[in-house]
Amino acid sequence: MAYAQKARWRTSAGRVVAGSTLLAAVAMLPWLSGTDPALTVLRARSADQDPTPEQLAAVREQLGLNEGPLTHLAHWLGGLPRGDAGTSWVSGEPVFPELMNALAVSVTLVLGALVVTLAVAVLVSARTLYLGSRQLLWKGRAGTGAALLAALPKFLLASLLATVFGVWLGWFPSSGWEGPASMVLPALALGVPSGAVIGGLLDQSLPATFGEPWVRTWHACGFSPGRIARHALRGALAGVLPQFLPSVVGLVGGAVAVEKIFNIPGLGRLALDAALAQDLPPLQTATLTLALLGVAVGLLVQALRRALLGPALRDGGLAAAHPATLRRGRSTTWVAGFCAVALLTLVVAGLLRDPLYVDPAARLLPPSVAHPLGTDALGRDMLARLGHGALRTAGVALAVTAVSTLIGLLLGMAGQVSAGLTEVMSTLPAVLAGLLTTAVTGPSVWGAACAVCLVGWTPYAAQTAAILEQERATGHILASISFGARPTHLLRHHLLPAALPAVLRNALLRLPTTVLVLASLGFLGLGEQPPTPEWGRLLSENQPYLELAPWTTLGPACALVLLSVLAVSGTASRRSSTERHLCTVR
């Protein structure tokens, strides 16, 4: 009891420290950026590009900028207990009513996106659940379907859905927020990729659950497949459930592109607009709201996990989930080979062309012999830009994924000490992290990479902490400790082998998301700068021409899908032997 109470105190302290640090960093944003906050606010108010010194001095005095960021932060915090979040520096309106309206819109949108997420996750994992409950699961899958769906760019999917179902067919509103019908298309754009990630992780963890001895015993005793499936899903879902924390909060604060495409006045868009205008009162209030939301979702996820695992988690009675020995299908090798050949062909063919040559007479040309993937709005060859951007795109994304995974593993192994930090940092939108990072480093590809690393480790930390908590509650860990096993022995032979394979698969599924987050930062001028050819930036630049010239986005989108499927299916051929080796080590 004393240990549990101490752990709760550590988690609460982590939340307070992380939240305070985040709010202090946001309060410093105008001063860190190196630009005069009064100049930015005045331009946001009146679009005056050349204000006089007298005008700037009046704005500084009005907003109290001469007092410094910490004094302003203290005044803002002092008003919160009275329900006063300040007034907007740009509009002069109270912040709290506008924030509540944006939060209501975002929560409604998230609920719709969660329904889509759960539906897609069920579809992705349905085959494994059906066959495993009947002891018919002999052949493993590479997870290419989940990888394909997870690689779909949310803003590109949103544009496609708005064009087809909103403009052409007229089934749903393509813009605005007027009723339940306005929620359908943005919920699909947000939920399909997120559901693919959750479903892919669940599909990969179910075989180990079906390989536990109780499943064979229940099957031999004549228990119904439905009952076996429910209990297996309960055990596998406990390990995947922490991934809902970054997914749910990410849908609230990170759906800026989708909110802009559908003109939805949500919380993410409010935070971004306030950050770009350096309007501190709404930015700080939105950041605090996201942090509190992350803590609430984290507590809910933790309670659901403990309810799913039951008293066995507390009493150390969980069974160790050993990887199931499944035959690898031939299709896995064929899929990996096809993706590798197709991707290599595109890259080599593109490297033989000039990516920066501009031909005004060849703007938005469709695919032809001269331009196999067409041209963009400036007349540049899309194949050339795709090929020259391959190494930079894949290299930066892999580096960011590797660093984020390593940080997530290290912090996840800290257990309750880092739980509060994970909950708070998972609420920070990558765009806001990019603004904070760029204020220090300036706009560059590595500044954007640091921004993504700043928030990208949270899914891996949540997953690692959940897996290790369950692993420590197994009988063989307690037996090892009773025989005098040291912490280093437990880490090398039990804890890391349990967490590492699942975290690596999660990282591969999230690789396309990393590319797209880097692209969104570049599109906002916070990352890779034009005219550098980078896949994500190609998608962002050509997204406005999706209806007029769809080939401008088809090439980069297909390349991103090929990279994702190749990463997942290529590692699937080694997964079985690697996991069997790790299981033997354990």
Side-chain angles (χ1 to χ4, degrees), residues 166-458:
V167 178
W168 292 353
L169 299 178
W171 291 356
F172 302 100
S174 60
S175 179
W177 188 261
E178 301 174 355
S182 303
M183 184 176 63
V184 175
L185 297 182
L188 286 172
L190 293 171
V192 169
S194 299
V197 173
I198 299 297
L201 294 174
L202 184 60
D203 186 66
Q204 292 166 353
S205 62
L206 278 172
T209 305
F210 283 123
E212 294 179 7
W214 69 266
V215 176
R216 295 190 295 272
T217 303
W218 283 28
H219 187 267
C221 292
F223 284 89
S224 66
R227 187 173 182 181
I228 295 175
R230 286 195 302 270
H231 283 78
L233 183 62
R234 178 178 179 177
L237 189 61
V240 178
L241 198 58
Q243 295 305 300
F244 278 94
L245 173 61
S247 298
V248 171
V249 182
L251 291 176
V252 178
V256 179
V258 175
E259 289 179 356
K260 281 186 170 294
I261 291 171
F262 289 103
N263 194 25
I264 298 174
L267 188 59
R269 185 175 175 182
L270 173 66
L272 176 62
D273 293 342
L276 293 177
Q278 296 194 16
D279 192 358
L280 277 189
L283 177 59
Q284 289 172 329
T285 310
T287 303
L288 178 61
T289 303
L290 288 172
L292 294 176
L293 181 63
V295 172
V297 174
L299 292 174
L300 179 61
V301 167
Q302 186 179 10
L304 288 176
R305 279 190 67 249
R306 294 186 179 278
L308 288 173
L309 294 174
L313 179 65
R314 181 193 64 229
D315 300 334
L318 293 178
H322 296 279
T325 304
L326 302 177
R327 224 170 13 96
R328 181 171 56 91
R330 292 184 178 181
S331 60
T332 302
T333 304
W334 284 106
V335 168
F338 171 78
C339 292
V341 171
L343 197 57
L344 186 62
T345 302
L346 287 174
V347 172
V348 172
L351 289 174
L352 300 177
R353 299 166 178 259
D354 185 3
L356 302 179
Y357 176 71
V358 177
D359 185 2
R363 296 177 63 250
L364 298 177
L365 289 181
S368 61
V369 176
H371 305 285
L373 296 182
T375 60
D376 63 6
L378 297 179
R380 296 173 295 191
D381 185 78
M382 288 298 300
L383 180 60
R385 295 182 64 75
L386 187 69
H388 283 266
L391 183 60
R392 195 175 189 89
T393 300
V396 174
L398 287 173
V400 169
T401 301
V403 172
S404 300
T405 305
L406 180 60
I407 295 174
L409 278 170
L410 294 176
L411 291 178
M413 287 189 292
Q416 296 295 330
V417 176
S418 64
L421 177 64
T422 303
E423 292 171 358
V424 172
M425 292 305 296
S426 65
T427 66
L428 182 65
V431 174
L432 183 54
L435 290 171
L436 292 172
T437 306
T438 304
V440 179
T441 65
S444 66
V445 62
W446 296 113
C450 291
V452 178
C453 290
L454 187 64
V455 297
W457 57 268
T458 55

Side-chain angles (χ1 to χ4, degrees), residues 72-168:
H72 166 76
L73 178 62
H75 288 324
W76 174 76
L77 290 174
L80 291 180
R82 304 189 304 270
D84 180 16
T87 58
S88 170
W89 289 356
V90 175
S91 66
E93 298 293 330
V95 171
F96 194 72
E98 183 182 10
L99 178 81
M100 294 307 297
N101 292 333
L103 179 61
V105 171
S106 292
V107 170
T108 305
L109 178 58
V110 165
L111 292 177
L114 273 180
V115 173
V116 178
T117 299
L118 294 175
V120 173
V122 169
L123 291 176
V124 169
S125 57
R127 171 190 173 272
T128 303
L129 190 63
Y130 178 84
L131 295 178
S133 63
R134 288 161 174 80
Q135 293 287 285
L136 299 176
L137 191 62
W138 309 112
K139 184 185 294 186
R141 292 194 299 173
T144 54
L148 191 149
L149 293 176
L152 291 176
K154 292 181 180 179
F155 62 86
L156 186 62
L157 183 59
S159 298
L160 182 62
L161 291 174
T163 301
V164 175
F165 297 100
V167 178
W168 292 353

